[in-house]
Amino acid sequence: MGESVPRHVAIIMDGNGRWAENKLLGRIRGHVAGVSAVRKIVRRANDRGVRYLTLFAFSSENWNRPRTEVAALMQLMKFNLRREAKELAENNVRVRLLGDRSMLPEPALKAAEEAEEITKSSTGMELVLAISYGGRDEILEGVKGLIREGVKEEEVTEKRLREHFYLPDLPDPDLVIRTSGEYRISNFLLWQIAYSELYFTDLYWPDFDEKEFDRALEVFASRERRFGKTSAQVEREKSV
Ligand code: IPE
Ligand code: IPE
Ligand code: MG
């Protein structure tokens, strides 16, 4: 049996568009429904004692979507960050932005940075919002940072590379969940998921609820994480 509750859960919230299309609604309605699911899952994760919840809200490739959809997504993020920041602070949740801030339109960036500011002294769960995030971009940022520092070849370590990531202190996810029946990573946390447990569900993101989240946590608890070792070694380590 693994750790009972994962410290860091990261979610690829996929399927808003198809959820809406199946109901003969526009894609934007799907994104609006997706926000309600976010609210439920944030609350549940906090209640279950998850320390870090990372939500993939917008990828570096999502900029290539139709302009109207991108604009609607940015509006939604701005609106909801403004609306929720105070309540998140009251619930001791800290908001942090993960991604390329320079790409964000000013109002969305401002709302995100205000949410970070309003919740900065929270000591409870960290809600990490991956917006304009690309795993390859982040690794490139790390490489550029090392070059800027003038690090010598023999001084290059995983630890030093990580120091140049967007959030250097963010631990690796223990569990990655992807909704919508797609079995891929889509440029989400590439470096950090080396040993994460992966969980896939066919549900579209707006249909993912507290019960489904609990189910994912249950599956996680039943997995054995070996980190390259043998099962016998893992058992022995646990008993000391
Ligand atoms: C996920 O839902 C939300 C974002 C990527 C912003 P999609 O919009 O990708 O929904 P599908 O995959 O088209 O159904
Ligand atoms: C991944 O979903 C990104 C987010 C959920 C924000 P996509 O819908 O962009 O992924 P692909 O294009 O199906 O791989
Ligand atoms: Mg999608």
Side-chain angles (χ1 to χ4, degrees):
M1 291 278 271
E3 286 283 309
S4 53
V5 174
R7 189 157 79 114
H8 182 179
V9 179
I11 309 183
I12 304 173
M13 310 183 290
D14 196 15
N16 292 348
R18 280 164 286 168
W19 179 90
E21 281 155 14
N22 281 351
K23 295 182 151 45
L24 304 177
L25 300 168
R27 295 181 55 85
I28 311 297
R29 291 283 293 278
H31 296 313
V32 172
V35 173
S36 308
V38 167
R39 218 174 284 126
K40 286 184 207 164
I41 299 309
V42 168
R43 211 174 304 130
R44 189 58 168 189
N46 200 14
D47 289 348
R48 292 292 313 264
V50 169
R51 298 292 305 157
Y52 301 85
L53 177 67
T54 299
L55 300 178
F56 201 9
F58 194 91
S59 75
S60 49
E61 288 71 29
N62 289 148
W63 291 114
N64 300 319
R65 292 200 177 185
R67 265 188 25 217
T68 48
E69 182 168 342
V70 170
L73 282 164
M74 291 296 142
Q75 280 279 350
L76 263 180
M77 286 189 257
K78 181 190 75 178
F79 179 78
N80 286 289
L81 280 162
R82 287 227 176 108
R83 192 177 57 175
E84 302 291 331
K86 225 176 113 229
E87 195 183 323
L88 288 166
E90 282 160 12
N91 288 311
N92 202 23
V93 173
R94 180 172 175 201
V95 174
R96 301 177 79 189
L97 193 56
L98 177 76
D100 181 0
R101 294 174 190 239
S102 71
M103 289 292 288
L104 293 178
E106 180 58 28
L109 178 63
K110 196 158 164 261
E113 291 185 337
E114 275 168 13
E116 286 184 316
E117 184 60 28
I118 292 168
T119 62
K120 71 167 187 253
S121 43
S122 295
T123 55
M125 188 176 80
E126 293 199 10
L127 173 59
V128 179
L129 300 175
I131 302 176
S132 192
Y133 176 85
R136 287 183 171 180
D137 277 353
E138 185 172 38
I139 294 168
L140 285 183
E141 283 305 311
V143 172
K144 287 181 194 168
L146 292 179
I147 292 170
R148 264 199 314 273
E149 274 188 295
V151 170
K152 295 201 203 68
E153 183 183 342
E154 60 275 17
E155 296 165 350
V156 175
T157 59
E158 292 188 11
K159 187 166 169 287
R160 290 199 77 164
L161 180 72
R162 261 177 197 273
E163 284 166 8
H164 298 281
F165 284 180
Y166 296 121
L167 298 176
D169 61 312
L170 184 69
D172 290 345
D174 300 293
L175 172 65
V176 175
I177 297 172
R178 183 173 187 144
T179 58
S180 92
E182 308 294 354
Y183 304 102
R184 56 179 173 259
I185 295 299
S186 302
N187 203 14
F188 196 31
L189 307 158
L190 297 178
W191 181 275
Q192 297 89 336
I193 60 166
Y195 270 102
S196 304
E197 294 298 325
L198 308 179
Y199 177 88
F200 298 96
T201 165
D202 286 341
L203 290 172
Y204 293 136
W205 175 248
D207 291 327
F208 191 82
D209 61 12
E210 295 90 342
K211 190 167 81 348
E212 297 297 331
F213 184 77
D214 285 350
R215 187 179 315 221
L217 259 48
E218 218 172 279
V219 169
F220 173 83
S222 73
R223 303 249 182 109
E224 182 185 59
R225 302 181 79 188
R226 289 192 285 274
F227 300 97
K229 297 182 182 173
T230 67
S231 193
Q233 284 176 300
V234 173
E235 284 304 315
R236 217 174 301 130
E237 281 166 14
K238 263 201 309 211
S239 60
V240 292

